[in-house]
Amino acid sequence: MKYFIVTYGCQMNVHESEKLAAICEKMGYDLAEKREEADLIIFNTCAIREGAEDRVFGNVGALKKLKKQRKDLIVAVCGCMTQKQQTAEYMLKTFPFVDIVIGTFNLPNFEHYVNAVKAGRRQLEILEAGDIDESIPYKRTSGENAWVNIMQGCNNFCTYCIVPYVRGREKSRQKENILQEIRDVVAEGKYKKITLLGQNVNSYGKDLSPAVSFAQLLEEICQIEGNFKVWFMTSHPKDLTDDVIEVIAREDKILKDIHLPAQSGNDRILHLMNRKYTREKYLGIINKIREKIPNCRITSDFIVGFPTETEEEFEDTMSLVDTVKYDSIFAFMYSPREGTVASKMDGQVPQEVKQRRVNALLALEKQIQQQEGKK
Ligand code: 5AD
Ligand code: SF4
């Protein structure tokens, strides 16, 4: 019996697929080299942009033929896309050969769904956010890098973003559980890099009692003995505090590499996005990082073509990128996500305008990289 997992989207999904892998192996499945050889195929999906969802629909649809040849093949779809009830129901209706459709909070019960399918029952279940599962270990699959989840969910409700709807509110793991996981990972000796994961790592610990700050967590991680480096993502500019910048500057174990998504360089658009900072405040943080941590890598995400974004406002994004001279950026065309505030805004920007803007931004980034010799 073999399993194969197809993962879409962010590092959090990659890491959660490591949990699914551990569950599959506990059930007695071995990893298949390709999906055609698997008895159990899992799609761990992403909902961040329409393109991500289209890819999932295409690839799940393509399994129809395989399922015809192999009646006992089990097909499961999970993750952010199917945390949305409507999409989950559509998936089950459109693809009769899909056996399991579950959301982001169902993974600990995965074995139960597989057993129910073996007993002849298709499964559709979407759970609400619960406590963070500490019961199932991960099968680490990312070479020398070990992902370590520190929190789930997001409270920010940036108006374009589906994440708070499919991942629930912020919930931090107990500090001691995180430290113990890292001690265990370091003791294994194979991992040189520990990457802490959360949608908004800088607000780690605010919900714990007693509260713990992200800076404090970082500091305690750095006290663990061993030869490893620590990295983390993602930081929200509104929460990146001076004490975090100081810990990064001070601790040799922390990689000098900060992913700090700006999303836009224009104040009106930032306000409409509900980002809670201005261009000036963002640049203030960048200057502080440059001053306290010379040679720090800085990377960012940008969205172009947010509803009502004018050419001049887009130029503000271009000029921010030109000012900061990032080591690398990701640039995305705004994609309306059903249920979010921005998807209902007037003034949606035509696709060809978004395409032109994203091309211009990426061309600028390439030019800066060539000039600055950045990697
Ligand atoms: N459209 C386009 N890009 C988006 N992102 C999040 N939501 C959307 C959306 N609706 C981008 C942001 C975020 C990154 C992970 O994805 O830039 O930082
Ligand atoms: Fe989405 Fe904003 Fe939360 Fe990031 S901080 S996950 S962009 S809502």
Side-chain angles (χ1 to χ4, degrees), residues 117-272:
V117 169
K118 285 180 178 163
R121 296 189 302 274
R122 281 178 102 196
Q123 298 292 301
L124 169 73
E125 186 172 64
I126 299 166
L127 296 176
E128 303 269 305
D131 286 339
I132 297 182
D133 174 60
E134 296 281 353
S135 67
I136 300 168
Y138 294 89
K139 180 191 178 230
R140 301 194 184 276
T141 58
S142 299
E144 291 192 338
N145 174 61
W147 308 108
V148 173
N149 183 26
I150 64 166
M151 61 195 299
Q152 70 181 20
C154 181
N155 292 352
N156 291 323
F157 288 93
C158 300
T159 53
Y160 51 81
C161 188
I162 193 73
V163 167
Y165 302 88
V166 293
R167 291 280 178 179
R169 295 296 74 71
E170 284 172 9
K171 210 171 259 184
S172 303
R173 278 180 79 193
Q174 293 294 334
K175 187 183 70 183
E176 195 40 51
N177 291 345
I178 299 171
L179 293 174
Q180 191 54 48
E181 182 177 344
I182 296 175
R183 280 184 215 113
D184 292 346
V185 161
V186 171
E188 278 190 60
K190 313 188 262 202
Y191 304 102
K192 301 275 174 280
K193 183 175 169 191
I194 309 284
T195 304
L196 311 177
L197 293 178
Q199 308 299 345
N200 184 13
V201 290
N202 301 106
S203 61
Y204 170 78
K206 286 183 183 160
D207 56 321
L208 295 175
S209 67
V212 183
S213 72
F214 183 54
Q216 208 176 329
L217 175 71
L218 283 174
E219 200 133 353
E220 291 194 34
I221 291 171
C222 291
Q223 281 159 18
I224 296 174
E225 287 203 14
N227 176 24
F228 66 93
K229 296 281 183 199
V230 187
W231 190 51
F232 53 84
M233 69 185 308
T234 294
S235 296
H236 193 305
K238 83 175 167 58
D239 296 318
L240 185 65
T241 47
D242 290 359
D243 59 346
V244 171
I245 296 176
E246 275 152 26
V247 181
I248 302 170
R250 193 165 61 234
E251 294 287 351
D252 288 341
K253 281 196 169 109
I254 303 181
L255 287 177
K256 312 304 175 212
D257 185 338
I258 303 178
H259 185 58
L260 197 63
Q263 312 297 1
S264 167
N266 175 267
D267 284 346
R268 192 185 71 88
I269 295 295
L270 284 170
H271 181 69
L272 282 180

